[in-house]
Amino acid sequence: MDFLKRLFGGGKAGDGDAEGIYFYVRSNATGEVIRVRLHRYNDLSQTEDQQGYYARKVIVGQKSFDRMEAEFFFDKNRRFVSGEVSGGALVDAEDYDAYLAAQDQPGPAGS
């Protein structure tokens, strides 16, 4: 369960946002890490067998406009079960924080 908590960010990004579910996705093409928010009630659709929920998102990078497609699957209590990303991978909140920190670092002298 710790992995799932890290994957969601443990509520870190959603403090005060009880209806937001946060995921972090790394682009295979550029390495950019993007935070994705799903609304617990508006973004989840019931599965055909009505035994759970799913959401499909097209994710676009901010720097490269790289496109990825993600599907997220949830149980009937709207708890995350699994996810698949075409063109990227699910990562945890620490990867997102590290990516942001690296973006704040100044480049080599003279560049």
Side-chain angles (χ1 to χ4, degrees), residues 23 25 38 53-59 68-74 80-86 90:
F23 294 93
V25 177
L38 296 177
Y53 294 88
Y54 75 97
R56 182 175 293 130
K57 285 279 189 181
V58 174
I59 303 162
M68 295 162 279
E69 291 188 37
E71 288 188 307
F72 304 98
F73 301 93
F74 302 83
F80 178 69
V81 174
S82 67
E84 299 174 11
V85 181
S86 173
L90 288 173

Side-chain angles (χ1 to χ4, degrees), residues 30 32-34 60-66 99-100 102-104:
T30 64
E32 182 177 1
V33 180
I34 302 148
V60 179
Q62 293 179 346
K63 291 189 173 241
S64 65
F65 303 108
D66 190 29
Y99 174 78
L100 290 180
Q103 300 307 301
D104 291 338

